[in-house]
Amino acid sequence: MEFKEIIYEEDGPIGTITMNRPEDGNMFTPLMCHEIRDCINAIRRETRTRVIVLTGAGDKFFCLGGRKEGMEDTQLYAGVLPVLDMYESIDRLQKPVIASVNGFAVGGGNVLQVICDITIAKESATFRQVGPIVGSFDAGYGTWYLEDLVGKKRAKEIWFCNPKMTAQEAMSIGLINKVVPDADLKEETRKLALQIADRGAFALASIKAAFSARHGGVGGLSRMTHDLLLPGYLGTDEHAELAESFAQRRSPDTSKFGK
């Protein structure tokens, strides 16, 4: 696939998505949101990659959030920055997603790293959740998932007071996983991705689905049962016997049930 505002590259089992608007803080536009969604949806349909890395172009910005220009003048979907399409695609991807934070992660950029499964950051990175301070808010992923990471009281403080946090401060409260020297970010991210890639792909998919089901409602549970459990069931003797007996209009052989 060809993209205008992101770059996608593969390195063995690692797929890397780079937000490529460094001149504007790698802020996502409607196009970037759709490109990240489309890229991840394509990744869902292949088995080459086992871990995905999300990062920003350049060495100053991971992502400063979203540009709210360019939408139609409507209260419907066409008038909203399609960040949920991007967030949902990350959340339902069966492969672990690592945020490699190479600079400022602010506003929607911080929400973006929160949604990723693991976050590694360079030492000079800065994290800040804006919203009320700039006349905006995130009433879904950015609140519930943040509460999961840092607790309700801390999450409310982050949203109400909008403090700037160093990478070390962010790690100390559980907002991110790991901090590395600036010069080592790319190599340390690759090491982490390769370590995870050595784990069982089906096991990782099942674990991620279990975490996602908590907030996913019927959609989250369906991703676990339909995408993970149903294919296995279709290979059982029970399924084969039930399908054959129905087609042959006979009673099933129940001795094959549970096998």
Side-chain angles (χ1 to χ4, degrees):
M1 297 179 69
E2 293 186 3
F3 303 105
K4 293 182 178 179
E5 296 190 353
I6 67 171
I7 298 170
Y8 180 64
E9 302 169 297
E10 291 183 7
D11 174 18
I14 306 169
T16 299
I17 300 171
T18 302
M19 295 174 283
N20 191 31
R21 299 185 67 247
E23 73 288 347
D24 192 31
N26 292 321
M27 295 184 76
F28 38 76
T29 64
L31 177 60
M32 183 186 285
C33 291
H34 287 146
E35 287 190 343
I36 291 175
R37 175 204 62 192
D38 293 346
C39 183
I40 291 178
N41 284 342
I43 291 168
R44 289 175 68 199
R45 299 190 295 271
E46 50 86 358
T47 56
R48 299 184 305 275
T49 57
R50 298 194 293 278
V51 180
I52 304 304
V53 172
L54 179 63
T55 193
D59 58 4
K60 188 174 181 180
F61 303 107
F62 174 71
C63 177
L64 294 185
R67 285 282 175 203
K68 296 180 174 61
E69 302 90 1
M71 283 79 73
E72 292 187 26
D73 184 16
T74 173
Q75 294 295 315
L76 300 177
Y77 175 83
V80 178
L81 186 65
V83 293
L84 293 185
D85 288 355
M86 178 173 59
Y87 297 160
E88 288 171 352
S89 67
I90 294 171
D91 208 32
R92 69 172 178 251
L93 181 66
Q94 292 184 336
K95 305 168 187 184
V97 179
I98 300 172
S100 182
V101 178
N102 56 308
F104 286 89
V106 177
N110 184 58
V111 175
L112 189 57
Q113 72 83 17
V114 164
I115 291 167
C116 292
D117 301 298
I118 289 178
T119 297
I120 181 172
K122 70 179 187 180
E123 202 163 23
S124 66
T126 298
F127 297 82
R128 190 178 193 187
Q129 191 59 70
V130 295
I133 199 172
V134 297
S136 182
F137 60 88
D138 182 305
Y141 283 98
T143 50
W144 284 26
Y145 279 36
L146 183 64
E147 179 185 342
D148 282 351
L149 293 181
V150 303
K152 182 178 288 186
K153 294 285 188 179
R154 179 79 74 170
K156 287 182 177 181
E157 178 186 355
I158 289 171
W159 271 106
F160 293 169
C161 301
N162 317 115
K164 292 181 182 179
M165 289 174 278
T166 66
Q168 290 291 348
E169 288 170 337
M171 185 172 66
S172 72
I173 65 171
L175 181 63
I176 67 175
N177 299 85
K178 188 174 182 179
V179 178
V180 298
D182 287 17
D184 297 342
L185 178 63
K186 187 172 182 179
E187 182 57 29
E188 289 297 322
T189 299
R190 187 173 186 275
K191 286 181 182 178
L192 178 61
L194 289 173
Q195 179 184 6
I196 295 172
D198 279 343
R199 275 59 180 167
F202 186 87
L204 290 173
S206 301
I207 292 167
K208 182 165 179 178
F211 277 110
S212 298
R214 180 178 179 221
H215 291 315
V218 66
L221 291 173
S222 294
R223 286 293 168 195
M224 179 179 289
T225 56
H226 180 274
D227 290 359
L228 292 167
L229 299 182
L230 181 59
Y233 178 71
L234 296 179
T236 64
D237 291 346
E238 177 179 304
H239 161 73
E241 174 58 19
L242 286 167
E244 289 175 9
S245 64
F246 181 81
Q248 296 169 4
R249 297 177 180 172
R250 61 173 173 81
S251 296
D253 178 358
T254 57
S255 68
K256 296 183 180 181
F257 286 7
K259 300 179 180 178

